[in-house]
Amino acid sequence: MVPLFERRPDLERAGVIRVWLFDDSATMVDQCLGPSMNDEVVSFITGEVEAELQRRWISKGRAVRYLHDWRSITTYEAHGRERLIEWGKVSKAHTAEAAICLSRSASAFIRIAAVTGVAVLRMLRIPISVVDDLEPLLAPLRSRRAG
Amino acid sequence: MRPLKTLKKLYDDESHIITTEKGSPPRVMFYGEDFWVEDLPVGTRVICARPPLEGVPNLKAAIRYAINHPEGMDPLHALLKPGMKVTVALDDISLPLPPMKTPDVRQAVLEIVLELLADSGVDDVHLVIANALHRRMTEAEMKRMVGQTIFDAYYPDRYYNHDAEDPDGIVELERTSHNEVVAINRRAAESDLVIYVNINLVPMDGGHKSVGTGLTNYESLRAHHNPQTIRDSDSYMEPGRSQLHRSTERIGRVIDQHCKVFHIETTINNRMFEEPVGFLMKKEEDFTEFDRLKLQSFKYALSKMPRALKRKMFFNIYAPYEVTGVFAGATEPTHQKTLEMSWKQYSVPVQGQSDIVIFGMPYVSPYNVNSILNPLLVQVMALGYLYNLNRGVPLVKKGGVIIFTHPCYDEFDPEHHAPYIEFFNRLLPETRDAVKLEHKYEREFAKNPSYVHLYRKGHAYHGAHPFYMWYWGENGRQHVGKVIAAGAENNHVPAIMGWDRTDTLSEAIEEARGFMGRGASISFVKIPPILQTDVRL
Amino acid sequence: MKHEHAMTSPSEAPKKAGKAAFFDVDGTLISTNVVHAYGFYAMNTGNYLGIAKRSLSTLVNLPVFGVLNLVDRKIFNEYFYRQYEGLSEDRLFTLSRDLFTDVIKPAIFPRAQDLIDQARRAGCKVVLITGALDFTMQPLARHLGADDLIANRMQFVGGFATGKVIPPIIEGANKANVIREYCEAHDISLVKSFAYSDSASDYAMLTAVGRPTAVNPDLRLRALARSYNWPVLDLR
């Protein structure tokens, strides 16, 4: 799968997930590589990635933008999904924006699961949405990088 | 407030009975949320209450004396041990009527008792309102009853309403010798000591009726709150002659074997009204010009107000009762003292019964404080309370006529009286037979999950309560030949109840005379203030 | 529908032993706001259903919850069902479990369980009756301890959902017919049974039983309850 950015990911689990962090705008971008949103992926995001976010931005009072490229996902584990929602809830205070990108051809199964989770977070007034194109949000990050 | 001595003079001890003559003043009587001022036929016997007894000079001292010198039990302080579990049960808002001015006597008793408990190292204390199947009291009412300080310290975890439908909140004890179910509040049953704080308004209340009726459930109440028991009770106000009280006594004795209950009973005088409605406490013969003026302006103001506002206004009139006695100790000897004091205030000797008895019907009954006196409650007032306010025999002759003055509006409070609405509209048109109603519908209403829910979570009377209201009127219904609702504003409420109606009191009296004969004797019972006739034949 | 049931007045019904309590779900036992907020968002998100493009900036500021109530629930439901097309049964099971944990469970009214427990203590069979799909409601039925669930059933062909509902669709007046048939089949007396709903659209169902109750009623149902002397409860 083609990496989203040319530069090396800041955090990575080979064959599973890549994560880039952009200090200017306090943005984290992750790209899932495998087909399943399983415990391994969730643990990585809510563990290592979260720790890094805490260190870099959250502890300094900065609100984070979360851009998730989950186009490869075709299935999930219920437990992992619940942990992600829980993570979304506790991150409420320092979430500037969050977007989840699913494949245009994603099954109803994965869409319903995502939309349900997102709906719950939105009801808690967390600014999160499901999109089917992340490019408009990624482009500024690339150009700034290029500039 | 007029000093007691003056009032006493006004009420010559021999003058509770007035016989109407030519030139007698018209009588003031309640007509729901209004007053009627009516001339009564010459020869009508007007029965008035005794003047208010003098209150105890120092209430706190009287309470302390009572709990230190109890009847048939050790003093309260001697019963207390550090670390013990105590439940204090309180009479609910149905007593007294109208509700008394703050501080409520229950607050006064609690202030002393709770301090004593704290000083004795008793910390596990709950205050439980013994509301039985009555509606739960609201937060504001609960605060008013015990005062801000106690409320803040105990509400809501340690000061709450009894819940007769809590499946985990009731303990069933062994049955009585008559196979009556004995069930009481679990917290009370599991306490090392129960202290019952009672207000005695009429001799029907208190004694074994306190815990056994106030802290129990539907299954146990069924033993005595049923048409047969009511029919077998000659006089509810005279515990010795009432099947109802025999049953509650049996139940109470079982409870006394299992729980240590320390009763604190209080009696109050009948000072129900003060200025600006102090004229309600007087005989019309004693009215001053100023009293008549106040009455007229009051009547005028009421005529301009919508009914809901009138209700609100009346429920903001609190009674300046004074405590006449505090008695404490074991159930029976304590209650004996209470009864003596109660009779002293309420009993009015009357020579002979009457063919026709007239009552002015007030806006309030024990079951509609801060609510509406709906048709079923009008019934319980006429044929339950007012009819039964006697010792010995009823004031009205067998087959006689009761006339009361009330608009009989078809209004129900859907929050407080939800099951009443169905009872009135669905059951009464089918039958007025109490036994049939009991067998066919009582259990269904009592178990209806909606009514159970409204009782437990809202502020509704229990599903069985409208039945109790109907049974209450049973002896009156069996005894009288006719009931006339004077001033009933519709036809259907009296029709469903089985009463006649007239527009005015004089028409009602005419009709009653037509029924009983021209020479029929008439009594008018001037209530409030409350009284009980002691009829000698 | 068996027409003769509709013609039989409750008092003429033959003697039956049992009794049941029928509970509408949406708005009666669980908050309509939460579920509709979810539904509205779901319907309007991306190509989730392909009906509307993502047009909402914020879900939570919507004044439409009220409006949604006015939309015919039948249409609402039918749109909603289509999203499940092509899913296998086990995946639907997973989704319904998620839906329950995320959306439905937090939306249960605080006193709903009490009322259901009281109905059971009164000797009633507890039955949920709802226009939602059965698999989405099963976890709720289990959670509340219901004996039975009457809900719309999705059609499956070869183990996959077709997105269509097996008729008759359970909504409005049909609920009354379904209840009558249920009582017939389970030896339950309609007269002795209870029904609970929040909406005047369930008027037929409420009048079918002997003991109807309005729960958190809308204005129309509140007025109906007043005129028919039905008890009014608040589970919120």
Side-chain angles (χ1 to χ4, degrees), chain C residues 88-168:
Chain C
S88 65
E89 271 190 276
D90 59 326
R91 294 206 141 183
L92 283 177
F93 174 77
T94 309
L95 286 175
S96 66
R97 184 190 157 281
D98 292 344
L99 185 73
F100 176 70
T101 324
D102 293 353
V103 181
I104 296 174
K105 197 171 168 206
I108 299 173
F109 286 129
R111 293 165 176 173
Q113 186 72 57
D114 288 329
L115 180 62
I116 285 175
D117 293 346
Q118 274 145 19
R120 181 176 309 289
R121 279 199 291 278
C124 295
K125 205 171 163 126
V126 174
V127 183
L128 305 189
I129 177 159
T130 167
L133 286 169
D134 54 358
F135 58 83
T136 65
M137 285 294 134
Q138 265 147 8
L140 176 72
R142 267 196 301 276
H143 177 81
L144 293 174
D147 298 305
D148 245 322
L149 170 68
I150 302 175
N152 279 312
R153 285 171 301 144
M154 176 141 291
Q155 191 184 50
F156 286 91
V157 175
F160 290 91
T162 63
K164 290 191 185 102
V165 170
I166 300 172

Side-chain angles (χ1 to χ4, degrees), chain C residues 207-221:
Chain C
T207 49
V209 298
R211 334 289 301 131
T213 296
V215 180
N216 324 316
D218 54 24
L219 282 177
R220 270 180 63 209
L221 183 60

Side-chain angles (χ1 to χ4, degrees), chain A residues 76 81-82 111 116 122, chain C residues 38 47 57 60 97-98 102:
Chain A
Y76 66 91
R81 183 179 163 286
E82 271 165 37
R111 273 192 184 277
T116 306
R122 289 185 68 110
Chain C
Y38 159 72
N47 46 14
S57 48
V60 279
R97 184 190 157 281
D98 292 344
D102 293 353

Side-chain angles (χ1 to χ4, degrees), chain B residues 511-528:
Chain B
E511 189 189 322
R513 278 176 159 168
F515 185 72
M516 296 302 291
R518 300 306 302 171
S521 55
I522 306 175
S523 282
F524 169 62
V525 185
K526 190 171 160 53
I527 286 179

Side-chain angles (χ1 to χ4, degrees), chain B residues 97-216:
Chain B
L97 292 178
M100 72 193 291
K101 289 173 112 174
T102 52
D104 193 286
V105 61
R106 283 162 285 212
Q107 178 183 339
V109 172
L110 281 177
E111 280 169 357
I112 288 168
V113 168
L114 294 177
E115 195 183 287
L116 180 63
L117 291 174
D119 290 347
S120 308
V122 181
D123 302 318
D124 186 0
V125 180
H126 282 207
L127 314 180
V128 183
I129 298 169
N131 52 296
L133 303 188
H134 293 175
R135 71 174 173 89
R136 295 185 322 124
M137 287 174 66
T138 65
E139 196 179 319
E141 289 164 349
M142 287 169 73
K143 188 189 287 182
R144 192 177 181 282
M145 188 161 93
V146 300
Q148 185 79 48
T149 316
I150 294 174
F151 182 82
D152 289 346
Y154 287 85
Y155 183 85
D157 297 332
R158 298 191 296 147
Y159 174 32
Y160 46 84
N161 291 280
H162 166 68
D163 181 352
E165 289 291 342
D166 179 354
D168 305 320
I170 302 279
V171 180
E172 217 172 283
L173 309 175
E174 82 239 16
R175 299 197 171 196
T176 66
S177 54
H178 288 58
N179 204 30
E180 290 143 326
V181 175
V182 182
I184 68 164
N185 181 290
R186 175 177 294 277
R187 164 76 203 187
E190 291 173 356
S191 292
D192 301 308
L193 178 67
V194 175
I195 301 172
Y196 197 103
V197 181
N198 147 284
I199 291 193
N200 232 83
L201 185 68
V202 286
M204 185 178 72
D205 305 314
H208 282 301
K209 208 164 162 285
S210 292
V211 177
T213 306
L215 292 176
T216 189

Side-chain angles (χ1 to χ4, degrees), chain B residues 328-433:
Chain B
T331 314
E332 290 174 21
T334 303
H335 195 53
Q336 197 49 45
K337 294 247 170 187
T338 305
L339 285 178
E340 282 162 24
M341 186 55 89
S342 188
W343 282 117
K344 214 160 133 187
Q345 173 68 80
Y346 300 123
S347 167
V348 175
V350 176
Q351 197 59 48
Q353 295 172 297
S354 287
D355 298 307
I356 302 166
V357 174
I358 305 167
F359 297 108
M361 176 85 70
Y363 58 95
V364 66
S365 76
Y367 314 111
N368 75 310
V369 175
N370 299 325
S371 180
I372 301 167
L373 192 80
N374 62 50
L376 209 52
L377 293 176
V378 170
Q379 177 269 155
V380 84
M381 283 298 279
L383 297 170
Y385 275 90
L386 299 176
Y387 164 82
N388 278 300
L389 284 176
N390 64 72
R391 175 151 66 171
V393 293
L395 182 60
V396 63
K397 277 183 195 160
K398 176 88 182 156
V401 179
I402 284 183
I403 298 172
F404 67 86
T405 55
H406 194 272
C408 291
Y409 35 70
D410 184 359
E411 279 181 49
F412 290 84
D413 182 327
E415 193 193 350
H416 289 182
H417 298 122
Y420 284 54
I421 302 176
E422 188 184 350
F423 184 93
F424 176 75
N425 288 289
R426 187 166 79 93
L427 305 196
L428 283 185
E430 184 187 315
T431 179
R432 288 194 288 266
D433 181 331

